[in-house]
Amino acid sequence: MPSAPTPASPQTACKSLDDWNEPTHPRRIYGNTWYVGTCGISVVLIATPQGHVLIDSAPEKAAAAVRQNILSLGVRLSDIKTILLTHEHHDHMGGVASMQKATGAKVLSRSNVVDVLKTGKNDRRDPQFNELTGFNPITNVHGFEDSSTIKMGNTQIQHIPMSGHALGGSGWAWLECEKSICKNLVFADSLGSISDDTYRYSAPNSLGVALKESSERLAKATCDILITGHGTASDLLARLDGKKPLIDEKACANYAQAGALRLETRLQQEKNK
């Protein structure tokens, strides 16, 4: 199981919380869940005696720093058995291919984007298609049905379908305990209605309806500790560093409401064009 970071992993202040690649030291989130990402992108390690689960990887340029964070916790890379994703954009999972090679882990993906992961290329289903950078193709990808429960030993990680920002958008929810005090953790996907210049969330067959449903679904989740892919969306590092409260039972609902309001604004803007 992970231990406290070693002296080889000193605390490192971030120059920019928006820098996807800038390294920072690992932090315990709660129980045996750890933040092992960069200053700007969240990567989460869920440790269990039966093997570990990694959610996201940060970009490929940051993959080595993420691996070093994991190693500094006393974790062998080979003990990571499963890699999960929030969504198929290179800033969050561009390093998955090299992480998979280093760990031998299988990648679990929503069935609707298995082909994207295997080719390393997004397609026009993605709102940001014209602006996206590709990523290294991923092998050993296994599709799962929406709302599945991913099990690792006694730990159960519940999938929350969150399409909208991307087709394969996924939230993840699980329980962690410290000295018999248990909290519900949720790693929520982005609810940003962001796109290239040609995409319309109001168009037929767009992800507009799915994004609205994602906000509604997240708002209903039992949620004590919110984790977001871009930490600035939830002041995550400040909360992990004790500068702001870590636990907030309304965090997911508030995050969902903000996403829904942004979508409403976006749809109104499209209507006025």
Side-chain angles (χ1 to χ4, degrees):
M1 299 290 286
S3 59
T6 67
S9 180
Q11 293 193 358
T12 49
C14 291
K15 296 178 182 178
S16 171
L17 295 177
D18 292 315
D19 191 324
W20 298 345
N21 300 310
E22 183 184 352
T24 187
H25 62 281
R27 296 157 168 86
R28 186 194 297 272
I29 300 176
Y30 196 83
N32 277 304
T33 293
W34 297 77
Y35 184 97
V36 293
T38 65
C39 289
I41 297 292
S42 300
V43 181
V44 168
L45 178 75
I46 304 172
T48 83
Q50 293 76 26
H52 307 330
V53 176
L54 194 70
I55 306 179
D56 286 348
S57 68
E60 173 55 29
K61 288 183 179 180
V66 172
R67 287 193 287 273
Q68 182 55 47
N69 275 349
I70 295 168
L71 291 169
S72 76
L73 295 173
V75 172
R76 295 178 299 183
L77 296 179
S78 60
D79 285 340
I80 296 174
K81 304 301 183 184
T82 299
I83 299 174
L84 305 175
L85 309 176
T86 54
H87 67 267
E88 66 281 11
H89 287 172
H90 68 96
D91 50 337
H92 298 278
M93 46 67 62
V96 166
S98 63
M99 188 67 72
Q100 184 185 56
K101 183 177 180 180
T103 62
K106 62 182 179 182
V107 174
L108 299 185
S109 163
R110 289 181 70 177
S111 297
N112 61 355
V113 291
V114 167
D115 56 336
V116 172
L117 300 183
K118 289 182 175 180
T119 61
K121 298 178 181 179
N122 293 89
D123 55 42
R124 184 60 275 184
R125 296 176 296 175
D126 195 292
Q128 298 180 63
F129 173 64
N130 290 332
E131 299 174 350
L132 291 172
T133 300
F135 48 87
N136 292 328
I138 300 168
T139 59
N140 194 19
V141 180
H142 301 262
F144 62 81
E145 296 304 314
D146 288 355
S147 303
S148 293
T149 299
I150 309 302
K151 297 180 180 179
M152 184 66 71
N154 293 326
T155 300
Q156 300 187 45
I157 308 170
Q158 181 66 45
H159 175 248
I160 305 171
M162 290 189 65
S163 293
H165 180 73
L167 184 66
S170 297
W172 298 98
W174 65 101
L175 190 69
E176 279 283 12
C177 301
E178 290 185 1
K179 297 180 180 179
S180 76
I181 299 175
C182 300
K183 299 296 179 183
N184 293 283
L185 279 63
V186 176
F187 193 163
D189 193 28
S190 173
L191 291 171
S193 42
I194 303 167
S195 76
D196 55 35
D197 290 338
T198 62
Y199 193 87
R200 296 291 179 269
Y201 272 95
S202 56
N205 301 318
S206 78
L207 292 178
V209 172
L211 185 54
K212 181 177 183 294
E213 291 174 344
S214 295
S215 291
E216 294 170 349
R217 201 171 285 123
L218 181 65
K220 297 176 182 177
T222 303
C223 174
D224 299 309
I225 299 174
L226 171 65
I227 304 163
T228 52
H230 292 274
T232 51
S234 58
D235 293 323
L236 182 57
L237 291 188
R239 290 161 51 225
L240 294 179
D241 291 341
K243 297 176 181 178
K244 292 188 176 183
L246 174 64
I247 298 169
D248 181 356
E249 295 178 358
K250 297 180 179 179
C252 282
N254 290 338
Y255 179 74
Q257 182 181 36
L261 290 174
R262 287 194 299 270
L263 177 61
E264 288 181 14
T265 300
R266 170 62 187 264
L267 294 174
Q268 188 61 48
Q269 290 171 342
E270 292 182 7
K271 182 179 179 180
N272 293 338
K273 286 186 177 180

